[in-house]
Amino acid sequence: MSGLDIFVLIAYFVAVGAIGYWSSRSSLESSKSYFLGGGGIGWMAIGASLFASNISAEHFIGLAGTGASSGLAVGQFEWIACFMLLLLGWLFVPFYIRTGVFTMPEFLEKRFNTQCRTYLSIVSLIAYIFTKISVAVYAGALVLQTILGWNIWLGAIVLIVATGVYTVFGGLRAVIYTDFLQAFILIGGGIFLTAIAITDVGGFGPFMQRAEPEFFNLWKSVNHPEFPWTGILFGAPILGLWYWCTDQMIVQRTLAAPDIENARRSTIFAGFLKLLPVFILVLPGIAGRELFPDVAPNQMYATMVNELLPTGIKGLVVAGLLAALMSSLSSVFNSSSTLVVMDFYKRWRPDASERELVRAGQLSTIVLVISGLLWLPFIGLMSDQLYVYLQSVQAYISPPIAAVFLVGLLWKRANGRGAINTLIAGFILGAIRFIAELGTNAGWITWRPLVAYATINFLHFAILLFVVSVFILVLVSLTSAAPSQKHLSMFLTSEQRVQKALGSRNVHRQNAIYSASLAVIVVVFWVIFSPAVF
């Protein structure tokens, strides 16, 4: 990297530091200020934070890499996320904001029982290690190794420390406002690389002609090893439901909005931003396949940054990569500390002062960071394509949680006994699959029934596990006592409180129009990139 590139990177870090310092000045006043940003952050900042928290370095590396090996089909996860964000805004957010919860496990306790809260808190923290912290750090360190020649462990440690500084001291407000800057930096960097890569291939026309036609088909055959259309249509929404509508890292941002309509608009704005990754991350990967046919998928994006970008622009794109990494890491650090403090520490010390809760939140991420680093060597056993690894691990833990949340809101008869039985049974089935896949890929497991179980497509497995989970929840609920009024109180919120939480009716009408427009755009993209067109 040239001196100009280094200057661009330094300017980026200075800007992030300044925004983090400015936004953190009032974050230490109370637990609500530290963990929920005080409840008065605007929809645009929250929406950008939702997008930036989701788009981490593994998206740059994984989407480009999987695009290079499989084509546009991996982009289905991005566009299906648009519908999941709408579901978050229109179904889930009103319940979350009206009940005044800090965490998703806390919400499960209000709807079901304490056991559900404890289970989800523990599983969420474990999931952050396996599918968020470790993958984000690994992807970012891989970029630094390829572009700057850094040792991968040194890169991982440096990135964690740099991100932790403003996260620990600034809380959610600092995370959201730094994400706001980082979202547009990563979008700008992605646009630059896409334009240059397609230009180097010869332009959009030659690019479309040189690539294999099936690379531009979103809908793959039912036998496709990674993205069968049945798995995409029925399995991917289950993963999306869990991630976008029930995951602490995502939902916590919407709780920082002043009312339901502003929270809803933030999800719609994030949905429009989620239209972009297919064009600025997956397409460059396909172009990279033409330019660098011998490069491994996980190395594709970093190689393109190194080989294609001119001085100055390279610094901007690397800043975009670091922005993606740091925004996701800061988000998961903040959400992890919220879970630890609100679901464990506060229950252990119910009389803890506001300052004590904030201090506990600042100190609670160290073990998670170390655990994430220790897990890094095992990622290679799962898949050569980083993004596929991330999605597949989520397929093993998300269906039972998604089933409990969705059925719990749509069916009042669902009770706590049914919910906890569903969560435990689903976890056992998912854990067996996870261990079996590790063992099969490493050659440790050869027993045919277990190998067959381990090699079911992960999206099809998500469908199967979701159906089993719903069946268990319904069966146990119907054969045990109905839930008490205490656990149904969220459906009986007073009219005065509802009106206070709702927001402007004019904004409500606008939100409905924007939501319909977003849904139509996704359907149009589905039609354009379908086998009938290509």
Side-chain angles (χ1 to χ4, degrees):
M1 294 180 67
S2 68
L4 181 58
D5 294 319
I6 298 297
F7 174 79
V8 171
L9 281 179
I10 293 174
Y12 159 72
F13 279 109
V14 170
V16 169
I19 292 175
Y21 173 77
W22 169 79
S23 58
S24 66
R25 290 176 297 174
S26 61
S27 294
L28 305 181
E29 296 175 355
S30 67
S31 58
K32 185 173 183 179
S33 296
Y34 187 80
F35 295 113
L36 297 183
I41 298 178
W43 62 266
M44 184 174 289
I46 295 174
S49 181
L50 286 169
F51 175 74
S53 299
N54 167 245
I55 301 293
S56 185
E58 76 266 13
H59 276 72
F60 279 78
I61 293 174
L63 285 177
T66 307
S69 61
S70 304
L72 283 185
V74 69
Q76 290 277 38
F77 292 103
E78 303 303 301
W79 289 343
I80 286 175
C82 299
F83 290 107
M84 296 303 103
L85 281 160
L86 294 180
L87 188 64
L88 169 63
W90 289 96
L91 175 62
F92 288 86
V93 158
F95 283 100
Y96 294 152
I97 290 183
R98 288 202 301 263
T99 51
V101 297
F102 276 70
T103 70
M104 296 302 95
E106 183 184 0
F107 179 81
L108 277 193
E109 182 179 42
K110 288 180 178 290
R111 176 61 182 89
F112 294 113
N113 55 36
T114 304
Q115 293 95 321
C116 290
R117 177 178 186 173
T118 302
Y119 168 88
L120 186 58
S121 299
I122 294 172
V123 168
S124 296
L125 290 171
I126 294 173
Y128 287 157
I129 295 171
F130 289 163
T131 69
K132 288 181 170 58
I133 295 176
S134 60
V135 177
V137 172
Y138 175 81
L142 197 65
V143 170
L144 294 180
Q145 182 186 48
T146 303
I147 297 175
L148 302 180
W150 287 17
N151 174 277
I152 194 166
W153 288 97
L154 173 63
I157 293 170
V158 168
L159 289 169
I160 287 177
V161 172
T163 306
V165 171
Y166 70 83
T167 307
V168 168
F169 294 104
L172 184 62
R173 180 179 294 273
V175 170
I176 287 179
Y177 283 116
T178 52
D179 282 356
F180 185 70
L181 166 70
Q182 290 164 333
F184 294 101
I185 291 178
L186 68 89
I187 290 172
I191 290 174
F192 270 117
L193 185 59
T194 301
I196 292 173
I198 293 179
T199 299
D200 282 11
V201 171
F204 199 77
F207 165 64
M208 297 286 288
Q209 294 171 1
R210 288 174 60 179
E212 300 170 29
E214 63 267 22
F215 267 52
F216 295 101
N217 290 334
L218 287 172
W219 305 100
K220 302 296 185 181
S221 72
V222 71
N223 297 319
H224 192 272
E226 291 164 357
F227 308 116
W229 71 266
T230 47
I232 290 294
L233 197 59
F234 302 108
I238 295 171
L239 308 188
L241 174 64
W242 166 73
Y243 180 82
W244 290 104
C245 301
T246 73
D247 185 63
Q248 179 68 25
M249 190 183 83
I250 294 299
V251 175
Q252 188 172 340
R253 272 129 199 78
T254 65
L255 304 182
D259 54 55
I260 290 173
E261 292 303 339
N262 274 280
R264 183 173 289 148
R265 178 160 294 187
S266 73
T267 67
I268 300 168
F269 179 53
F272 278 101
L273 293 179
K274 286 293 287 180
L275 296 172
L276 299 176
V278 172
F279 301 106
I280 65 175
L281 297 178
V282 182
L283 280 182
I286 299 176
R289 176 188 173 93
E290 300 296 322
L291 297 171
F292 308 103
D294 298 326
V295 173
N298 276 356
Q299 296 285 345
M300 183 61 71
Y301 199 88
T303 299
M304 293 170 68
V305 170
N306 252 347
E307 301 295 332
L308 300 181
L309 297 181
T311 297
I313 300 299
K314 181 183 289 188
L316 176 65
V317 174
V318 174
L321 283 164
L322 294 179
L325 170 73
M326 294 174 66
S327 62
S328 291
L329 276 180
S330 63
S331 298
V332 71
F333 288 165
N334 180 257
S335 297
S336 298
S337 67
T338 306
L339 289 171
V340 170
V341 173
M342 292 299 169
D343 292 330
F344 294 105
Y345 189 84
K346 191 174 182 180
R347 291 162 69 186
W348 175 56
R349 290 181 56 84
D351 298 326
S353 66
E354 291 293 299
R355 181 173 294 275
E356 184 180 346
L357 293 176
V358 171
R359 182 69 57 84
Q362 291 176 310
L363 298 176
S364 63
T365 60
I366 296 176
V367 174
L368 286 167
V369 168
I370 294 174
S371 300
L373 287 172
L374 293 176
W375 177 248
L376 294 179
F378 293 95
I379 292 179
L381 292 176
M382 291 294 292
S383 175
D384 289 333
Q385 298 175 32
L386 193 60
Y387 194 68
V388 174
Y389 159 79
L390 180 63
Q391 297 295 339
S392 63
V393 172
Q394 292 176 350
Y396 311 149
I397 63 175
S398 59
I401 299 172
V404 166
F405 270 89
L406 185 62
V407 175
L409 292 185
L410 298 180
W411 189 45
K412 295 180 182 179
R413 183 62 176 77
N415 62 20
R417 178 175 292 184
I420 192 61
N421 277 275
T422 300
L423 292 172
I424 293 174
F427 177 81
I428 292 172
L429 292 172
I432 292 173
R433 164 62 192 249
F434 179 69
I435 295 170
E437 184 172 345
L438 279 175
T440 300
N441 289 347
W444 305 331
I445 295 176
T446 56
W447 187 43
R448 287 188 177 181
L450 198 54
V451 171
Y453 185 70
T455 53
I456 301 172
N457 175 271
F458 72 95
L459 292 173
H460 288 159
F461 181 81
I463 301 170
L464 176 64
L465 187 54
F466 183 79
V467 171
V468 170
S469 298
V470 171
F471 176 78
I472 294 172
L473 178 55
V474 172
L475 179 64
V476 176
S477 294
L478 289 176
T479 55
S480 55
S484 66
Q485 283 299 108
K486 172 186 174 182
H487 295 120
L488 296 177
S489 60
M490 63 183 62
F491 298 100
L492 306 171
T493 309
S494 68
E495 184 67 22
Q496 182 179 5
R497 187 174 180 183
V498 169
Q499 290 302 321
K500 182 178 179 181
L502 274 178
S504 166
R505 290 189 176 182
N506 184 49
V507 174
H508 179 83
R509 287 192 294 269
Q510 292 174 356
N511 284 341
I513 295 172
Y514 297 149
S515 298
S517 301
L518 177 59
V520 168
I521 290 172
V522 174
V523 172
V524 169
F525 284 162
W526 278 349
V527 172
I528 292 175
F529 296 103
S530 66
V533 176
F534 290 93

